[in-house]
């Protein structure tokens, strides 16, 4: 039935319109070229991105449906990575929950809100396994392990898409960036990746395969060269692996401008050849570079490409539009979003997801949980009251942060206490982020002068001195991780460690809360600060979740999805490595470096809680096994401490 409908549509479409479906056009002004309205009216379009305006969606859709020659509706697409209006912990944090329910429930809410705003398609989940903690985009994925990564991949696909993509509360998901982007040389964003087929098959590809098995509708090709061939023109990846081996039936979109980038990458001599390479490789949709629309007709005219080849690429795009019910329901109800966002469970899921994601790294002497009858708490640090750092990297286009900060969360938790605050010296990137000005439309404040920084430092120390308990909130700002946000060092940026030392010297008990989107080498803190909570970038309810944990209403249970190296230069440092002739700890040739321990500061899987566990009755079903047979290992675990994971939302989510 669907196939018939598609053939009927194709039969009445001109070549220009067919090529139009292969284009994802920009709804934002920063891409030069004709306005979206003009393109749509003339030839239609597969999709529009970088637009986040419900009214405008309906206007453009009306042009597509009523004025374009074949009246094919548009797919509106945007990056909804960890929440649309209600923001959830960043994906790396959700992976720390080790609970697929966390991303599934979070992305269900994200999909509902995004769809209510008029979006049909999100560019997530991001499935790049990453073992180089310097890479800024590690924040968007599930960390270093393919098994955990696959579980998180499938859960996110289920969350976004549900069981039925015609459900009006769901969006199409997109598995990205296919493939190898997390392995760029030395973690430098966009640089080439070199991966053996063994590494690809064992480590990089499994989450993508899991996404296909979970029914993911679309894929996005990566930016970089994989083994010297751009992923967006990589026939082996897109045809052999994805379609032939995995039987993927959806469509593939390029990353932004990636088709045209094949010229810059030296893979195509001009845009015409870049278009040809993308099309031949099986890349269905050109994101924002207009290379297909400019060249496809000429490629057909000159005999480099057949109409049948174009149609083969158009079919899965039309199929998804049909399956979603877009032809029957092309428009979105204006005003629906506000009603949907007001559903109380959206914030509840956000708070629960944040609680479940946090990792207790240290709790010497049981400093945590803190007592609620405490009189005077100082909350110190540049991120303590930062909504941006709390919501984290990859905000939806045009989103205004509105998070409960750690300061606000602690104030809400302790109505009877005096809660003071000082940010200390500001932190900022040495080289600013493009996203700061271009995407967020913000103008950069001038940097603090050395005098201003000193004054802020002093005020912070004095504020801490006057308190009975200090909570330091340190880490990285939202734009210090993410796209184009790699770092060579993993130290706390700016003067944060200096401030931590000065405050610790006062002798007042200090609990450190980290807000960051990647592992940090907090070596000094790990030695000298009694309590450390890794809160990541926890989302809208982040500050409440931090306060729930600090004051014992919730028991932290997250475990690291990626190891924390002692130095940035130790990356990649991962647990699943082969044995060597000289295992660590053997007397010869050790340690691996002569200038410090090569082991992680905190390993993969690490995380404490407020309770204690006992393990007993370990059993292995068979002492020996053959390849292909199953062995069952069982162990009894009992919670013999005083705390269960949550007293706040436990009743809500069991
Ligand atoms: C990123 C993608 C993203 C796309 C669209 C690119 O710069 O690499 O992850 O989905 O932009 O916003």
């Amino acid at each position: 039935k669907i196939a018939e409908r598609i053939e009927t549509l194709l039969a009445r479409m001109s070549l220009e319109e067919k090529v139009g479906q292969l284009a994802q056009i920009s709804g934002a002004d920063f891409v030069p070229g004709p306005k979206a309205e003009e393109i749509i009216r003339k030839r239609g379009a597969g999709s529009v991105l970088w637009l986040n305006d419900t009214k405008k969606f309906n206007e453009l859709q009306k042009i597509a449906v009523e004025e374009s020659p074949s009246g094919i509706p548009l797919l509106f697409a945007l990056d909804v990575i960890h929440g649309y209006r209600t923001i959830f912990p960043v994906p790396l944090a959700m992976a720390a929950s080790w609970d697929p329910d966390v991303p599934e429930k979070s992305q269900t809410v994200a999909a509902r809100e995004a769809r209510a705003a008029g979006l049909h398609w999100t560019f997530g989940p991001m499935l790049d396994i990453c073992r180089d903690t310097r890479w800024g985009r590690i924040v968007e994925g599930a960390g270093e392990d393919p098994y955990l990564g696959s579980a998180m991949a499938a859960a996110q696909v289920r969350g976004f898409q549900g069981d039925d993509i015609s459900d009006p509360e769901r969006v199409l998901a997109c598995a990205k960036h296919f493939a190898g982007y997390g392995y760029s040389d030395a973690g430098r964003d966009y640089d080439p990746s070199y991966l053996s087929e063994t590494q690809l098959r064992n480590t990089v590809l499994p989450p993508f395969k899991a996404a296909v098995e979970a029914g993911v509708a679309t894929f996005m090709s990566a930016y970089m060269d994989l083994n010297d061939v751009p992923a967006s023109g990589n026939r082996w990846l897109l045809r052999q692996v994805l379609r032939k081996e995995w039987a993927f039936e959806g469509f593939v979109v390029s990353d932004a401008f990636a088709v045209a980038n094949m010229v810059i990458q030296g893979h195509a001599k001009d845009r015409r050849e870049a278009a040809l390479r993308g099309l031949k490789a099986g890349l269905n949709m050109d994101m924002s570079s207009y290379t297909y629309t400019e060249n496809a007709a000429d490629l057909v005219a000159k005999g480099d490409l057949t109409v049948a080849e174009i149609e083969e690429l158009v079919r899965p795009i039309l199929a998804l539009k049909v399956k979603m019910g877009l032809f029957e329901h092309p428009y979105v109800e204006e005003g629906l979003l506000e009603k949907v966002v007001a559903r109380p469970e959206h914030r509840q899921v956000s708070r629960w997801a944040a609680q479940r994601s946090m990792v207790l790294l240290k709790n010497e002497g049981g400093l945590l949980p803190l007592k609620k009858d405490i009189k005077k708490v100082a909350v110190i640090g540049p991120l303590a009251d930062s909504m941006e750092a709390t919501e984290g990297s990859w905000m939806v286009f045009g989103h205004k942060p509105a998070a409960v900060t750690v300061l606000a969360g602690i104030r809400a938790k302790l109505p009877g206490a005096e809660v003071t605050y000082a940010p200390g010296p500001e932190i900022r990137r040495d080289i600013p982020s493009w996203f700061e000005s271009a995407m967020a439309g913000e103008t950069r404040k001038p940097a603090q002068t050395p005098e201003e920084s000193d004054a802020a430092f002093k005020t912070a120390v004095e504020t801490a001195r006057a308190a009975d308990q200090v909570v330091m909130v340190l880490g990285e700002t939202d734009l210090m991780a993410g796209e184009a946000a790699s770092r060579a060092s993993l130290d706390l940026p700016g003067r944060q460690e200096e401030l931590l030392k000065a405050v610790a010297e006062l002798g007042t008990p200090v609990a450190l809360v980290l807000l960051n989107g990647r592992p940090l080498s907090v070596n000094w803190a790990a030695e000298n600060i009694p309590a450390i909570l890794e809160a990541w970038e926890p989302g809208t309810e982040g500050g409440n979740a931090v306060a729930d944990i600090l004051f014992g209403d919730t028991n932290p249970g997250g475990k690291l999805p990626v190891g924390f190296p002692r130095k940035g230069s130790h990356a990649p440092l991962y647990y699943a490595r082969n044995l060597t002739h000289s295992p660590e700890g053997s007397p010869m040739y050790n340690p691996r470096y002569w200038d410090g321990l090569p082991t992680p500061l905190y390993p993969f899987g690490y995380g404490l809680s407020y309770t204690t566990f006992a393990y007993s009755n370990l059993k292995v079903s068979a002492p020996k096994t053959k390849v292909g047979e199953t062995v069952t290992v069982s162990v009894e675990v009992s919670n013999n401490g005083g705390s269960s994971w949550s007293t706040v939302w436990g009743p809500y989510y069991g």
Side-chain angles (χ1 to χ4, degrees):
K1 230 35 216 303
I2 292 176
E4 261 171 50
R5 234 175 126 177
I6 290 164
E7 296 315 311
T8 314
L9 280 169
L10 278 174
R12 66 167 198 243
M13 289 164 77
S14 64
L15 178 60
E16 195 184 26
E17 283 176 273
K18 288 172 191 164
V19 173
Q21 290 302 308
L22 304 182
Q24 183 169 55
I25 64 176
S26 168
D29 296 337
F30 57 77
V31 184
K35 287 255 158 299
E37 286 85 342
E38 283 171 45
I39 304 173
I40 298 164
R41 189 168 288 121
K42 196 162 156 245
R43 65 189 324 172
S47 170
V48 175
L49 89 162
W50 297 327
L51 181 68
N52 190 13
D53 179 339
T54 304
K55 203 159 166 274
K56 194 81 199 278
F57 288 146
N58 282 336
E59 283 167 21
L60 291 182
Q61 195 68 296
K62 193 157 191 284
I63 297 176
V65 172
E66 294 182 9
E67 298 177 39
S68 81
S70 293
I72 297 170
L74 303 160
L75 282 169
F76 293 107
L78 208 59
D79 295 274
V80 180
I81 304 299
H82 54 112
Y84 178 80
R85 180 78 71 74
T86 309
I87 305 300
F88 298 92
V90 286
L92 186 66
M94 291 204 263
S97 71
W98 287 72
D99 177 359
D101 260 8
V102 168
E104 183 172 343
K105 290 203 163 85
S106 301
Q107 303 301 27
T108 299
V109 173
R112 188 183 296 139
E113 292 186 359
R115 192 66 194 269
L119 290 164
H120 306 116
W121 178 20
T122 177
F123 301 128
M126 191 278 217
L127 305 180
D128 297 306
I129 293 296
C130 174
R131 293 173 170 184
D132 195 321
T133 40
R134 295 169 294 185
W135 192 50
R137 302 197 77 168
I138 193 171
V139 60
E140 297 171 54
E144 71 175 65
D145 181 67
Y147 181 81
L148 179 61
S150 300
M152 293 292 142
Q156 292 193 71
V157 172
R158 290 194 300 271
F160 284 131
Q161 295 189 171
D163 306 325
D164 175 4
I165 56 165
S166 70
D167 180 341
E169 294 198 342
R170 303 289 180 165
V171 294
L172 302 178
C174 180
K176 73 183 187 186
H177 307 83
F178 196 57
Y181 189 25
Y183 274 74
S184 60
D185 280 347
R188 290 185 292 268
D189 208 1
Y190 314 129
D191 268 6
S193 299
Y194 290 94
L195 283 157
S196 68
E197 195 166 343
T198 319
Q199 283 169 301
L200 273 166
R201 300 256 183 208
N202 286 340
T203 312
V204 172
L205 297 182
F208 290 99
K209 188 158 184 257
V212 173
E213 282 161 7
V216 72
T218 72
F219 260 60
M220 184 188 293
S221 65
Y223 271 134
M224 69 321 123
D225 283 8
L226 172 66
N227 300 331
D228 296 329
V229 179
S232 300
N234 200 311
R235 203 185 287 225
W236 178 76
L237 272 178
L238 302 182
R239 290 206 186 270
Q240 172 64 28
V241 177
L242 183 58
R243 293 201 176 90
K244 244 188 155 156
E245 295 178 22
W246 298 350
F248 173 68
E249 287 179 352
F251 71 82
V252 186
V253 65
S254 74
D255 203 338
F257 312 104
V259 178
N261 288 351
M262 281 194 264
V263 180
I264 311 173
Q265 284 164 250
H267 191 65
K269 70 173 187 297
D270 53 22
R271 287 164 66 90
R272 187 179 185 279
E273 190 179 306
L276 183 62
R277 286 187 183 267
L279 292 162
K280 286 276 187 194
L283 179 74
N284 308 74
M285 196 180 272
D286 168 6
M287 185 192 285
S288 66
S289 85
Y290 304 97
T291 317
Y292 283 3
T293 37
E294 269 168 34
N295 296 288
D298 185 57
L299 288 167
V300 171
K302 303 252 164 66
D304 292 311
L305 204 69
T306 62
V307 175
E309 283 178 298
I310 302 262
E311 287 179 347
E312 179 214 348
L313 297 172
V314 176
R315 273 189 197 97
I317 299 172
L318 294 179
L320 281 171
K321 290 183 176 184
V322 170
K323 285 184 195 160
M324 274 196 101
L326 271 193
F327 286 85
E328 290 72 29
H329 306 285
Y331 302 109
V332 57
E333 176 196 327
E334 281 170 37
L336 177 64
L337 175 65
E338 296 312 322
K339 283 185 245 167
V340 164
V341 167
R343 288 169 64 161
E345 74 265 28
H346 288 203
R347 287 189 84 115
Q348 284 164 356
V349 175
S350 169
R351 186 163 177 168
W352 164 79
Q355 294 170 341
R356 300 295 318 266
S357 302
M358 293 182 191
V359 182
L360 184 64
L361 295 176
K362 191 175 174 192
N363 194 18
E364 208 171 70
L367 177 69
L368 298 180
L370 302 170
K371 299 245 165 356
K372 286 189 194 154
D373 59 4
I374 197 160
K375 294 274 162 334
K376 196 160 180 189
V377 182
V379 184
I380 308 287
L383 306 178
D385 200 28
S386 164
M387 289 191 185
E388 287 80 4
T390 309
E391 289 196 345
S393 155
W394 248 136
M395 275 310 102
V396 174
F397 208 68
H399 172 82
K400 301 258 174 308
V404 178
T405 63
V406 174
L407 175 66
I410 293 178
R411 286 199 165 136
K413 187 67 80 185
L414 302 179
E418 187 185 343
V419 180
T420 55
Y421 160 65
E426 67 165 14
I427 53 171
R428 58 169 65 204
R429 292 170 47 135
D430 304 342
I431 301 170
S433 167
W434 179 80
F435 292 95
E436 224 159 336
S437 46
M439 299 290 270
E442 287 164 23
T443 42
R444 240 169 105 73
K445 276 196 291 176
Q448 273 179 342
T449 62
E451 294 73 33
E452 284 165 345
S453 170
D454 284 346
F457 192 100
K458 242 172 112 187
T459 308
V461 175
E462 290 320 309
T463 308
R465 193 192 302 278
D468 310 321
Q469 171 68 46
V470 180
V471 176
M472 297 283 291
V473 188
L474 308 178
E476 290 187 342
T477 64
D478 52 326
L479 293 173
M480 287 178 175
E483 187 173 351
S486 294
R487 295 179 71 194
S489 156
L490 298 176
D491 295 347
L492 284 168
R495 300 178 68 185
Q496 295 184 99
E497 188 163 301
E498 189 191 338
L499 181 63
L500 183 63
K501 287 178 180 166
V503 169
E505 248 172 44
L506 301 172
T508 317
V510 177
L512 171 60
V513 174
L514 292 171
L515 294 187
N516 46 274
R518 66 145 68 71
L520 291 174
S521 305
V522 284
N523 301 302
W524 188 87
E527 277 288 308
N528 297 285
I529 300 296
I532 307 176
L533 178 68
E534 175 53 79
W536 311 106
E537 296 173 336
T540 305
E541 286 286 325
N544 282 333
V546 166
D548 291 337
I549 290 177
L550 290 181
F551 293 93
D553 287 331
T554 296
N555 183 18
K559 311 277 175 214
L560 296 180
V562 57
F564 278 34
R566 293 170 198 273
K567 289 183 181 185
S569 55
H570 289 182
L573 182 66
Y574 53 96
Y575 84 93
R577 62 200 189 283
N578 291 349
L579 298 176
T580 74
H581 80 281
S582 171
E584 271 160 46
S586 73
M588 284 242 288
Y589 311 128
N590 270 317
R592 293 294 193 265
Y593 300 113
W594 58 255
D595 61 346
L597 278 178
T599 51
L601 175 64
Y602 295 112
F604 174 82
Y606 184 83
L608 309 171
S609 86
Y610 293 157
T611 189
T612 51
F613 296 97
Y615 301 91
S616 61
N617 214 5
L618 173 68
K619 281 190 200 135
V620 182
S621 62
K624 277 188 178 176
T625 180
K626 295 209 180 82
V627 172
E629 283 180 357
T630 306
V631 179
T632 310
V633 180
S634 63
V635 66
E636 278 171 31
V637 183
S638 51
N639 177 349
N640 58 8
S643 182
S644 63
W645 72 265
S646 174
T647 49
V648 177
W649 300 114
Y652 186 75
Y653 272 115

